[in-house]
Amino acid sequence: MFTGLVEVLGKVERVVDEGAGTRFTLGWPGLERPLPIGESVAVNGCCLTVVSASGEAFDVQAGPETLLRTNLGARRPGDRVNLERSLRVGDRLGGHFVQGHVDTTAVLKERRTEGEWEFLAFGLDPSWMRLLVPKGSIAVDGVSLTLVDVDPDGFSVMLIPHTLSVTTLGLLRVGDAVNIEADMLAKHVEKLLAGRGAGA
């Protein structure tokens, strides 16, 4: 479980093809001690397990399902990634509950500056739009954000300077794909209501 509050802007150091999957070596700038083996880390919002670690670097593995549903398969050495360690009991929850289970990807369609803020509009498969509501929560590349507008085939967000400077969202260009995790509560409510409709 995560909060969607990115801890650090990491860097892809190495990418190794492992047949059906991929092994990534990632750099965590300023990390005081190596990450424990088995720890969960959200990489661009995708929950992955640390399989080896040394200094500021650590390795994770992404399987076929992860590579299919996320943008991690397109990551190359030198690319930046959002990193967040899993939530500990007693931690403050400043974003929203993020599982690290990416649902799908969206594509940046428009980006414009509005004062110190930036407006970003994304295109998303209409089948996912039922889970999004204006002023609701969404995780974009692992960043907890508040939805502004929700349209039949996309949504928009407004980003403050801090978010732009400390996450990959500040580096996005039109046409880039981002990982999307819809609000966990919305998914559960939808399933419960669907079941009630079938029972009726």
Side-chain angles (χ1 to χ4, degrees), residues 185-199:
L185 298 178
K187 288 186 276 191
H188 283 290
V189 168
E190 184 201 35
K191 185 173 180 64
L192 287 171
L193 292 177
R196 179 180 296 180

Side-chain angles (χ1 to χ4, degrees), residues 110-121 157-161 164 170 172 174:
E110 180 186 355
R111 177 172 186 162
R112 67 173 183 265
T113 301
E114 296 190 5
E116 294 185 342
W117 296 53
E118 292 231 11
F119 170 90
L120 275 67
V157 294
M158 292 288 288
L159 303 183
I160 63 174
L164 293 167
L172 288 179
V174 171

